[in-house]
Amino acid sequence: MALSWCLCLAMALFSGPGTIYALAPENEVTLHPTTWLSENRVTPVHLPKGHTRRLYFTLKKKADLLSVTVSPCAVPIEWSLAVRTLKDKPPKKAHWSSKKSMPEVWWRGSGREVRIYTYTGNAVDTYTGPANAPASIYILRLKSNEQDTQVSAYLHEGPGPSGAFPELPSDPRVHTLGVGMTSVTLNWAPSSSIAVKDGHRPHREYCVLVNHKHNYRNLCAAHEGIRKEIQSMQKRQRRDKQSKEIVWATSKDWWWRQPNALKDHESSTTDKFEDTGCVCRDIESVCTVSDLLPNTQYYFDVFIVDRVNGTSVAYTGTFARTHEEARSAITSLREGQVKWVTLSWEASSLQGDQFLFKPRGWQQNGLLTLHTCNGTSKVKVSVSSKGQTLTSQEVGHQLAQIWLHGAPSYLIQLQALIPGSSSTIPKGDSKKSKFCLKMQASSAYHRRAMPVFPTTLQIKSFNKLRTCNSITLAWMGTEERSLYCIYRRQIPLDSKHTSTDRCVDPESRPADERVFCKYFQELDPRRAVTTAVVGQLEPGMLYVFDVYLMRRWGLPIKYHSKTVRTRSEC
């Protein structure tokens, strides 16, 4: 048998061109596996990457119109519709009742193929057009160039809509009615495809999907996104079995509820999707999505789902960012923290700023230090505990210290006072209506007595001891042993600004401006005077000198700046 087959093949190859033509006519092509597209039924098609899938169909003799709907999934595809019409009538021997032999009839017969429609993208698209001659076969070609994907195709014959797909309104957009800190309210134009007839529940409904990534063009892409998210969660669960809280936070990125959706994962993932009561809303076209995270961007999609036909259409989605979490009116003041507070004389800010301080240790004592940075600014400081006011006083340009004791926590309220005797709020430049205040609270200071201030913060220089390269300074100290640091900076001779901002900390000044630091203590306050000789200066130059009283607790005390010019000739 095998030998006779080989002899016949050899005779066909060497018998000449005429025999080859008889075996394989020029209009004969290798046929692909024939897949027929049925009418009024959703046909799922798997598209391998880079391969073209073909679906064939013919129309009834009385059909004058046709429509073909193709619904891609998560990636863009290319699809086209072509028609091949026979010039001559098919031979009578053709078995018209057998659809398996019909493609061979069209390819063996004389005819021409015309491409009538082409589309590239990832949105649901429909071609509608007149029917060709009865002796025609239609070819639907589908191709995915990015990755393997799924596609659904639907054929409808005759005029009017098919009824299998829901219809979108003239305005197919999702609108945002309101945005809150943890909720967003959406609405959309109702679809004529959703209506209650004879009191029966419709088989079509609106379904809302919320996620953190992007909007989806169709329901299949949304399913694919959820499937990948579930797989990602399962991988994380396998890597770390103790990460249940992380997985729960990730699963909250998705929430919806659709019947018969994700059947393969229904038992394991149903409880992981949050039920907000605002998904698949039947005929309601208003939805409030709640339980969202503050200050987070979300994407919202609305689908019309046909549960009977298994079809759906998507509105044009929207996105919104929830509002930031409301900040507490009371700010926590940490131990030893230097807090810069900006106060305003504006009417909206006259109610004051509030801070909460909790001392460390069982003694429940602390020291509150305040210092305004503007010479004419005043602030009212009120300290209370458990609703009872402990102290209330005004703080001006002098550094103020308030002793805190006898309470586990202290509520500190700062209220800007309008400068001058007038009760009106200053107008004009907004910057002039604001001033800065430095504040620090420390529970390390445990003495009952308040820290001692110098009797004056003036710095004195001695003209007789002034030379071309040095000057001598003197200032008042205290009976407590404290550290004093001297700073200098050279300024132009014609400079009008010779003082240093009293709110500038020593740590914020350049290191080359510091001259030296010294300890000093004198038990007699009347004799608590210390001096310092500052050398290595340039002749005839103008210098600004600053002295800081550095303490273990509270803010450093800055003396008033002193401007001195060295001698030009010595």
Side-chain angles (χ1 to χ4, degrees):
M1 182 70 179
L3 182 59
S4 62
W5 167 252
C6 293
L7 292 174
C8 292
L9 181 59
M11 291 176 61
L13 292 175
F14 292 101
S15 59
T19 306
I20 298 177
Y21 177 82
L23 292 176
E26 59 181 1
N27 61 351
E28 183 175 354
V29 296
T30 304
L31 293 179
H32 296 270
T34 305
T35 302
W36 287 90
L37 183 62
S38 302
E39 181 189 6
N40 295 332
R41 191 178 70 179
V42 178
T43 302
V45 183
H46 175 72
L47 294 185
K49 176 183 177 181
H51 293 274
T52 301
R53 291 291 304 271
R54 295 170 175 82
L55 282 78
Y56 304 92
F57 65 89
T58 56
L59 301 179
K60 299 176 182 177
K61 293 183 179 181
K62 296 182 180 181
D64 54 352
L65 289 175
L66 79 150
S67 63
V68 176
T69 302
V70 177
S71 177
C73 193
V75 296
I77 66 167
E78 300 175 3
W79 70 272
S80 63
L81 183 64
V83 59
R84 185 175 178 85
T85 305
L86 290 179
K87 293 182 179 180
D88 302 326
K89 293 184 179 181
K92 298 181 180 180
K93 296 182 179 179
H95 301 284
W96 287 88
S97 60
S98 175
K99 287 187 176 182
K100 292 184 179 181
S101 60
M102 288 180 65
E104 297 183 11
V105 173
W106 265 274
W107 260 269
R108 290 182 181 276
S110 59
R112 62 188 184 94
E113 179 180 321
V114 179
R115 180 171 294 186
I116 58 178
Y117 188 73
T118 301
Y119 174 81
T120 301
N122 60 348
V124 180
D125 189 62
T126 300
Y127 166 77
T128 302
N132 277 51
S136 301
I137 186 171
Y138 293 84
I139 308 101
L140 176 63
R141 291 180 173 88
L142 307 165
K143 185 178 181 181
S144 172
N145 293 322
E146 294 188 8
Q147 64 184 39
D148 294 358
T149 185
Q150 297 287 333
V151 175
S152 297
Y154 186 86
L155 170 64
H156 172 66
E157 300 180 16
S162 63
F165 286 84
E167 295 183 9
L168 290 174
S170 57
D171 180 13
R173 296 173 298 171
V174 180
H175 302 276
T176 303
L177 286 182
V179 179
M181 188 174 65
T182 59
S183 63
V184 174
T185 301
L186 310 169
N187 80 318
W188 53 91
S191 170
S192 59
S193 302
I194 297 182
V196 178
K197 297 181 180 180
D198 301 330
H200 295 287
R201 183 173 181 266
H203 64 275
R204 290 171 177 167
E205 56 190 354
Y206 300 110
C207 290
V208 180
L209 173 66
V210 183
N211 73 95
H212 282 301
K213 297 181 179 180
H214 51 76
N215 291 110
Y216 289 95
R217 301 291 298 271
N218 54 69
L219 194 60
C220 179
H223 280 163
E224 186 69 16
I226 295 178
R227 184 184 65 82
K228 291 182 179 179
E229 189 70 17
I230 292 175
Q231 291 178 351
S232 177
M233 288 191 300
Q234 291 175 346
K235 289 181 180 179
R236 286 195 293 269
Q237 283 180 326
R238 287 193 293 266
R239 292 175 185 174
D240 187 5
K241 295 182 180 180
Q242 299 178 355
S243 60
K244 293 182 179 179
E245 295 182 358
I246 299 178
V247 173
W248 165 245
T250 305
S251 66
K252 289 182 69 176
D253 295 351
W254 302 83
W255 64 267
W256 67 347
R257 178 181 56 202
Q258 180 194 351
N260 302 323
L262 300 176
K263 294 182 179 180
D264 296 339
H265 306 279
E266 183 176 3
S267 60
S268 60
T269 62
T270 301
D271 56 342
K272 293 182 181 179
F273 290 101
E274 189 171 4
D275 182 7
T276 62
C278 188
V279 288
C280 299
R281 301 286 298 175
D282 294 344
I283 61 174
E284 298 181 15
S285 58
V286 178
C287 171
T288 298
V289 184
S290 57
D291 295 332
L292 303 177
L293 298 177
N295 194 24
T296 305
Q297 182 161 301
Y298 289 91
Y299 295 85
F300 305 90
D301 291 297
V302 176
F303 304 96
I304 306 177
V305 180
D306 189 319
R307 299 192 306 271
V308 175
N309 298 311
T311 57
S312 64
V313 292
Y315 282 77
T316 302
T318 186
F319 64 91
R321 175 175 288 274
T322 54
H323 293 168
E324 292 185 5
E325 189 172 3
R327 297 182 179 179
S328 175
I330 301 177
T331 304
S332 177
L333 188 61
R334 298 193 302 269
E335 168 72 27
Q337 175 191 11
V338 178
K339 186 73 175 180
W340 291 76
V341 184
T342 300
L343 299 178
S344 174
W345 294 307
E346 297 177 0
S348 59
S349 302
L350 291 179
Q351 69 273 17
D353 296 343
Q354 295 182 342
F355 302 87
L356 182 65
F357 175 66
K358 295 182 179 180
R360 294 178 181 176
W362 60 273
Q363 293 181 335
Q364 299 179 349
N365 297 332
L367 179 66
L368 177 64
T369 308
L370 304 104
H371 191 193
T372 60
C373 300
N374 301 66
T376 60
S377 303
K378 288 186 178 182
V379 60
K380 182 179 180 181
V381 183
S382 301
V383 180
S384 61
S385 179
K386 297 181 180 179
Q388 183 179 1
T389 302
L390 303 179
T391 181
S392 180
Q393 65 183 65
E394 294 183 6
V395 176
H397 65 281
Q398 294 287 348
L399 185 142
Q401 297 182 117
I402 301 176
W403 175 245
L404 307 175
H405 61 91
S409 62
Y410 300 90
L411 181 63
I412 304 167
Q413 184 173 8
L414 306 178
Q415 182 178 357
L417 298 179
I418 301 176
S421 58
S422 175
S423 60
T424 59
I425 299 174
K427 297 181 180 180
D429 189 0
S430 60
K431 295 183 179 178
K432 295 182 180 179
S433 65
K434 297 181 180 180
F435 67 94
C436 187
L437 172 76
K438 282 201 308 183
M439 177 174 58
Q440 185 197 46
S442 174
S443 58
Y445 190 86
H446 54 80
R447 292 178 52 184
R448 283 290 178 183
M450 295 292 294
V452 179
F453 282 170
T455 56
T456 178
L457 295 178
Q458 297 292 335
I459 302 175
K460 182 177 177 57
S461 64
F462 300 93
N463 188 41
K464 293 183 179 181
L465 301 178
R466 182 170 56 96
T467 68
C468 295
N469 306 108
S470 65
I471 59 99
T472 301
L473 302 176
W475 62 90
M476 296 296 295
T478 67
E479 60 267 29
E480 296 177 346
R481 178 176 171 81
S482 302
L483 180 67
Y484 299 85
C485 293
I486 300 96
Y487 287 78
R488 73 176 182 192
R489 61 186 177 92
Q490 182 178 329
I491 60 175
L493 294 177
D494 57 348
S495 177
K496 296 181 180 180
H497 303 283
T498 57
S499 62
T500 306
D501 186 1
R502 59 184 178 181
C503 280
V504 176
D505 291 329
E507 294 81 2
S508 61
R509 300 190 61 167
D512 59 351
E513 292 186 1
R514 188 173 70 176
V515 180
F516 60 85
C517 296
K518 60 177 292 187
Y519 283 97
F520 175 76
Q521 179 183 18
E522 175 56 52
L523 297 180
D524 187 355
R526 293 173 297 179
R527 300 177 55 188
V529 180
T530 180
T531 60
V533 179
V534 181
Q536 299 181 355
L537 304 179
E538 297 180 12
M541 301 304 297
L542 197 63
Y543 291 90
V544 177
F545 297 90
D546 296 297
V547 176
Y548 292 90
L549 171 57
M550 312 293 292
R551 302 177 301 158
R552 185 178 179 184
W553 300 283
L555 300 173
I557 298 176
K558 178 184 175 297
Y559 288 70
H560 300 304
S561 300
K562 182 66 176 180
T563 304
V564 182
R565 181 178 179 180
T566 56
R567 294 184 182 274
S568 301
E569 297 178 358
C570 296

